Amino acid sequence: MRSRIATSAFAVAFLAATAVARAAGPTRVDVRADDVAFYPYSDATTVAAHGHVIVRAGAYVIAASVVQYDVGKARIIASGDVTVTHGTRITHGEVYRIDLETDTATIVRVEPTPASFTIPGDASAPEVERPLVDTDFKPLDLDGQRPYIRSRHALIAPGASVRMTPAEFPTSAGPALALPTYLYTLVQNQNLAQTAGPGASFDQPYNLFGSPNSLTAAHLRYESQNGVTLSVDNRLVDRNRAYVVTSLLPFRSRRADVLAYQQLRPGLQQTFTASHTFGLTHVDAASYRLQGTSRLSIATLTASSYATTNSLELALGTIPHDVGHYFSYQLRTGYAYDHALYSFPYANDFRTFVGGYATLPGATLLGTSLNARYDYQLTSYDFPHQTTSGTLTLSGGRVFSRGVNVYATASYLQSTSRYREGDVARRALGLPDPRFPLITPDGTPYLGYFAFAGASTYRTYQIQSTFAGKRGDDRLQLNLTHTRDFPQFDGYGRPPLTASIDITRRITPTIRLEIGRSYTFGWASRYLSPQYTFGISP
Amino acid sequence: MIARVCSIAACLLAIVASTGARAQSAATPLSIRGQALAIGHGYVIFTSGTTVRLRDGTHVPRGTTLGSSIRVRLDRATGDVVSIELDPKDTLDDDVDAARVPVADGMHGLRAGVATATADSAAPARAEAVVVTIAVTVPANTPPTDDVYVATDRSNFSPSEIRMQRTSSRRFTVSLSLPRDSKLRYQFTRGSYATVERNRSGGIAEPHVLAIGSGATVENVVERFADLN
C-alpha cells in the first residue's frame, strides 16, 4: 500500500511538472487516398499518397492526384488537378504547397498562362503573383523506395504519431504483413524506450496510443522462464528531465512494475521503482534512490524494500579518476541498516562496506592492447559476519583486420564469508562443523578452513573471435569459455567448458536477425546443452 | 495561347543560338533533367519552376510522379517535350539542370527553355549506402565481461538493438551500412535501459548525432552508465 501511495504521488508530481510543447499548425492531419505510403526517414519523415487524395489539415481540404506530406517540416506538396478549399476560398492549380506552421501557400497554374502565386493564410486576402524559387518545392524522389507501411488512411498528429488504418508492411520476401491498424510514434525521445518490467529475449511492441509526451503499447514477449506472454505499458516523458514507466504483465509473469526518474537539478536525480507480483506467491518490492554528483564525488541514498526485508543505505564514493594514461581508480564506502523480519538472530543489522577498483589500461604490446583490473569490496556486519570479494581480471584484445578481431580475458575471483566469534555464529546459522570434512554430493571431501568458512575461488578464461562482413551488419562471433572454480564438481557450480556461436545477419533493409547457440561439454553427464537465442532489430 | 507558345519557343531558340559554339546539329533534341512536380494539362513542371509544353500524345512513363527524377527531350524547333525518361541513369552532353534555366519573359515567374549549363548537378542523387564504423570508449568501472550495445532512433532506441564488437577492455566498435546524407541518433547501453549511458553528472545524456557523409570511423566516449556510480 505504501509503495502504491508513493507511486501515485510521484506520478502526480511528475505530471504536474510536465509541460506539453505544442507546435503551431493543425493538431491532426487526415490523409485518404487509393494508396497511402509512410516513409519514416529520420531527416524527412514523409507520408506519400497517390490517387484520389483528400487531405484535411485544420481549415484546409486539399484534393489532388498526388500528395507528399513532410511531417517534420509540416509541409504539404500536392500535384495534379489540385483543388484547395480554405473557408470561402476555393483554389485550383497544377501544383500546390502549404507550410502548415506559417500558414503560407504557393500555387502553380498553367491555365490561362503558366504562373505561380503566393496565397496568404487569411482566406479573404488576395493572391500575389511571384517568381518561383528552387526552395519552394522540394519533394522526395521515392521511386524504387519501399515504404515502411502502406495503407488507405493515415491520421497524423504532428510531433506525436502517425496512425495507418489498415496497415500493410511490405517485405522484400514477397507477401506483406497486414494489421488492422498501426500507430507509429514520431517522438524522438529515447526515454520512450524505457522498460519497467523484467527483461525478455524477444520483445515486439505494438503501439496503441501516443502523444508528444506519452506512449502506450502492448508487447508480445518471449521470456526464457515463462515462454510467450503479453504485456501492456505506458510511458510518460518530460523531455530529458523525467519519465514514468508503468508496465503490466497479466499472464504467466503476473506482475506490475513502475519506474520513475527525475532530474531535480544538474547533478541531482531521484529514481523510484516498485513492483508487485500477484498470484499464488505475491511479492512487493520498491526502492527509492537519491543521487548527487559533484566534480569529485558521488553520494547515494537508497531505501529499498523486498518482501519482508528493508534496507537504508548511504554510500559515498569518488568518481572514476584517471591518473595519466596508465592508472585509474575509484573508491567507495558506506553505511547501511538492514531489517529482515523473520531472520533471527540478526533481524536488525547494520553493515559498513568499503571497496573500489584500480585498472592499468592502455598498454599495447606487438599490436595487442593489454589491461589489468582489480576490484575489491569488504563488508562488515554488526552481527559477527564479514564478507570479502576480490577479482583480478587480465585482458588482451587484438584487431587483425577491419573484419576480424580477437579478445581474451582471464579472471580470478576469490570471495570469503567468515564469522567473527565463529562458533556462536556458526551454530546460530546451522553451518557445518569445521572439524569434519564437507562431503559433496559426488563424494568429494572438502577439508579444513574452506569447507566451512565460505571461501571460494572462481577462475574464468574466455576467448572471443569476431568476424564481420563487409556490409558491417553481418557478423559471426565465436566464444570459448573455460572455468575452474572452487568448489566445483560434476553437476555443481559452473560448467567447465562452454562454446557458443552467435550469427547476426541483415535479412532485409529493416530487419536484422541474431541467432545464438551454445554448448557445454562434459557437465553433469551431458556433453551437449544447446541453447537458442534470437532477436530481431531494425 | 499562341502568344505563350511563341514566347517559350522564342526563349528556347534564343538560348540555343547562344550555345552555337557547341556546334550541335539542329536535329539533336535538347534535354532537361530535374525533379518532376506535375505532368498534365499539356505541361511538364519541374521543382525548379521550369515549365515546358508537352506535345500531344507524348508517352509518360508509368510510375512518373511527384518527386520523380526525369529527363525530358525537347524539339529544338518548337520547344515541346517529345519524350520523357524516368530515373535516367546516364548523363548526356545535352543534359541541362532544370534549376539553371533562366526565368523567361511571358512565363510569369516560371522558367522555360535551356541554359548553357551542363547537368552535373541536375538530378538529386539517390541515397547510396556507406559503411560507417562507430567506436566507443567506456568508463573504467565498466564490468570487464559486459557487452556494449548501440541503441538508435531506427528502433526508437531499443536498448539491445546492435551488439558491438569488443576490441580491448574499454573499446568497442560496430560497422553499419547507412544511407549517405542521412542522420543517425544513437546511445550506448549494456543491453538494458537500466544500463544506458548518462552524462558526467548522472543526468540523461542527449543522443549522439551522426551525419552520414563518407564512410569513416566515429569515436565516442561514454562518461558514465546509469547503474554504475
Side-chain angles (χ1 to χ4, degrees):
Chain A
M1 175 58 82
R2 275 176 299 173
S3 65
R4 258 173 271 169
I5 292 170
T7 305
S8 307
F10 198 99
V12 169
F14 170 84
L15 288 171
T18 301
V20 180
R22 288 191 182 279
T27 55
R28 290 281 185 278
V29 177
D30 186 292
V31 180
R32 292 171 192 267
D34 296 342
D35 178 40
V36 181
F38 179 56
Y39 301 84
Y41 298 145
S42 60
D43 50 347
T45 295
T46 300
V47 173
H50 290 79
H52 307 97
V53 186
I54 302 289
V55 179
R56 289 181 174 81
Y60 291 90
V61 179
I62 304 166
S65 300
V66 184
V67 163
Q68 277 192 18
Y69 173 30
D70 184 329
V71 180
K73 295 188 179 75
R75 183 176 296 168
I76 294 173
I77 299 175
S79 170
D81 291 321
V82 183
T83 301
V84 181
T85 306
H86 180 213
T88 56
R89 170 186 278 163
I90 299 175
T91 311
H92 299 283
E94 266 317 293
V95 195
Y96 174 82
R97 188 211 75 170
I98 181 164
D99 190 328
L100 295 171
E101 288 189 357
T102 60
D103 203 18
T104 55
T106 303
I107 195 162
V108 176
R109 298 193 181 97
V110 292
E111 298 290 349
T113 304
S116 58
F117 304 86
T118 296
I119 307 174
D122 181 357
S124 61
E127 297 178 352
V128 179
E129 184 176 342
R130 72 161 177 86
L132 212 60
V133 295
D134 289 346
T135 52
D136 280 335
F137 293 97
K138 286 285 183 188
L140 287 182
D141 181 359
L142 298 169
D143 287 342
Q145 306 284 315
R146 183 188 302 124
Y148 180 49
I149 310 172
R150 276 193 188 287
S151 182
R152 291 187 298 279
H153 179 210
L155 184 61
I156 301 107
S161 62
V162 175
R163 180 177 289 284
M164 308 286 280
T165 309
E168 278 191 0
F169 295 80
T171 64
S172 58
L177 174 67
L179 292 172
T181 183
Y182 187 81
L183 185 91
Y184 182 92
T185 180
L186 299 170
V187 184
Q188 291 286 319
N189 187 319
Q190 71 275 22
N191 299 314
L192 287 178
Q194 277 280 15
T195 52
S201 304
F202 172 79
D203 188 327
Q204 177 60 51
Y206 180 73
N207 298 333
L208 299 172
F209 316 104
S211 76
N213 66 344
S214 75
L215 183 65
T216 303
H219 294 251
L220 176 65
R221 296 160 56 91
Y222 177 79
E223 299 172 7
S224 54
Q225 284 192 330
N226 297 306
V228 178
T229 186
L230 294 172
S231 72
V232 179
D233 64 20
N234 174 263
R235 295 144 177 155
L236 292 169
V237 299
D238 176 15
R239 283 170 279 181
N240 265 354
R241 293 187 305 221
Y243 54 78
V244 177
V245 186
T246 53
S247 167
L248 176 67
L249 285 91
F251 312 110
R252 301 201 172 183
S253 295
R254 306 193 69 189
R255 58 184 286 166
D257 294 85
V258 174
L259 166 65
Y261 168 94
Q262 187 179 24
Q263 179 169 297
L264 299 167
R265 61 179 178 79
L268 186 64
Q269 304 92 33
Q270 57 178 346
T271 308
F272 175 78
T273 64
S275 72
H276 173 72
T277 306
F278 43 91
L280 290 176
T281 55
H282 66 90
V283 179
D284 287 317
S287 76
Y288 172 80
R289 188 172 77 157
L290 180 66
Q291 186 173 73
T293 304
S294 71
R295 198 169 59 86
L296 295 174
S297 64
I298 299 171
T300 309
L301 177 68
T302 307
S304 61
S305 169
Y306 179 81
T308 58
T309 62
N310 304 285
S311 289
L312 183 66
E313 177 185 296
L314 176 64
L316 302 169
T318 66
I319 62 167
H321 280 287
D322 290 328
V323 182
H325 295 291
Y326 304 105
F327 180 70
S328 64
Y329 72 94
Q330 185 178 28
L331 301 174
R332 193 164 178 265
T333 186
Y335 191 66
Y337 165 71
D338 300 316
H339 171 70
L341 188 58
Y342 304 114
S343 299
F344 179 80
Y346 49 93
N348 295 286
D349 201 2
F350 290 86
R351 64 185 149 92
T352 309
F353 58 90
V354 60
Y357 72 84
T359 66
L360 289 169
T364 302
L365 185 66
L366 300 174
T368 303
S369 67
L370 302 170
N371 181 270
R373 171 184 167 122
Y374 186 69
D375 294 78
Y376 180 81
Q377 177 153 317
L378 182 150
T379 307
S380 185
Y381 298 84
D382 265 16
F383 182 77
H385 180 208
Q386 181 174 294
T387 61
T388 64
S389 169
T391 307
L392 174 65
T393 305
L394 305 171
S395 61
R398 178 159 187 173
V399 179
F400 289 93
S401 69
R402 197 191 66 80
V404 181
N405 70 56
V406 173
Y407 182 71
T409 58
S411 119
Y412 305 88
L413 183 154
Q414 180 154 53
S415 67
T416 65
S417 177
R418 70 181 72 181
Y419 291 86
R420 305 188 301 274
E421 304 168 30
D423 218 35
V424 176
R426 182 185 63 75
R427 281 200 293 272
L429 297 172
L431 295 172
D433 191 324
R435 291 172 297 178
F436 300 102
L438 181 67
I439 308 297
T440 60
D442 69 348
T444 308
Y446 282 106
L447 299 168
Y449 176 81
F450 292 115
F452 69 91
S456 52
T457 306
Y458 299 90
R459 280 161 283 208
T460 308
Y461 307 93
Q462 187 175 53
I463 187 162
Q464 182 183 82
S465 307
T466 305
F467 305 90
K470 284 184 181 173
R471 290 194 305 171
D473 290 332
D474 301 336
R475 192 188 60 185
L476 169 70
Q477 192 171 75
L478 301 172
N479 284 289
L480 194 62
T481 305
H482 172 55
T483 64
R484 190 158 165 258
D485 301 341
F486 179 90
Q488 181 186 40
F489 48 86
D490 191 28
Y492 178 81
R494 300 189 299 169
L497 193 59
T498 305
S500 67
I501 182 169
D502 192 276
I503 299 170
T504 304
R505 171 95 177 142
R506 180 167 290 285
I507 52 176
T508 76
T510 53
I511 296 178
R512 207 164 167 270
L513 189 65
E514 184 170 334
I515 297 176
R517 186 174 170 92
S518 69
Y519 301 89
T520 56
F521 295 95
W523 189 238
S525 305
R526 284 176 297 172
Y527 293 95
L528 295 176
S529 177
Q531 283 187 325
Y532 286 103
T533 58
F534 73 98
I536 296 175
S537 62
Chain B
M1 172 64 81
I2 294 170
R4 187 178 70 242
V5 172
C6 289
S7 170
I8 298 170
C11 184
L12 279 169
L13 293 172
I15 295 164
V16 169
S18 73
T19 60
R22 294 162 72 178
Q24 294 167 323
S25 160
T28 305
L30 297 164
S31 62
I32 300 176
R33 283 181 69 171
Q35 256 192 306
L37 257 188
I39 301 176
H41 290 272
Y43 287 89
V44 174
I45 307 174
F46 288 89
T47 53
S48 60
T50 300
T51 304
V52 283
R53 207 177 72 163
L54 186 64
R55 179 175 290 175
D56 287 345
T58 304
H59 172 67
V60 179
R62 183 181 170 83
T64 308
T65 186
L66 173 67
S68 292
S69 176
I70 60 170
R71 171 194 284 137
V72 298
R73 310 299 296 271
L74 308 179
D75 182 315
R76 282 178 182 267
T78 64
D80 288 355
V81 173
V82 293
S83 70
I84 301 173
E85 186 182 351
L86 176 63
D87 199 14
K89 298 284 189 286
D90 55 343
T91 300
L92 303 178
D93 289 343
D94 292 324
D95 277 348
V96 172
D97 184 345
R100 307 229 177 150
V101 175
V103 175
D105 291 339
M107 289 291 286
H108 298 267
L110 301 179
R111 303 156 189 265
V114 180
T116 56
T118 56
D120 51 355
S121 61
R126 182 69 50 77
E128 65 174 292
V130 292
V131 175
V132 177
T133 300
I134 297 173
V136 63
T137 302
V138 296
N141 63 349
T142 306
T145 54
D146 280 11
D147 284 320
V148 173
Y149 296 77
V150 182
T152 77
D153 57 357
R154 300 186 306 175
S155 69
N156 205 15
F157 298 96
S158 174
S160 57
E161 181 184 338
I162 304 165
R163 188 161 57 173
M164 303 185 77
Q165 300 160 30
R166 183 192 286 273
T167 58
S168 75
S169 62
R170 287 176 60 187
R171 193 167 187 274
F172 295 78
T173 66
V174 68
S175 296
L176 299 174
S177 183
L178 300 166
R180 188 190 294 275
D181 298 330
S182 63
K183 281 185 181 173
L184 183 75
R185 299 165 75 238
Y186 59 96
Q187 286 201 302
F188 299 100
T189 77
R190 300 203 322 281
S192 69
Y193 223 91
T195 61
V196 72
E197 67 173 305
R198 288 278 166 84
N199 62 29
R200 194 170 183 80
S201 63
I204 295 172
E206 290 288 343
H208 307 268
V209 179
L210 173 61
I212 294 126
S214 57
T217 298
V218 185
E219 296 288 344
N220 301 272
V221 175
V222 170
E223 300 270 9
R224 183 171 165 179
F225 283 113
D227 61 324
L228 300 177
N229 294 330

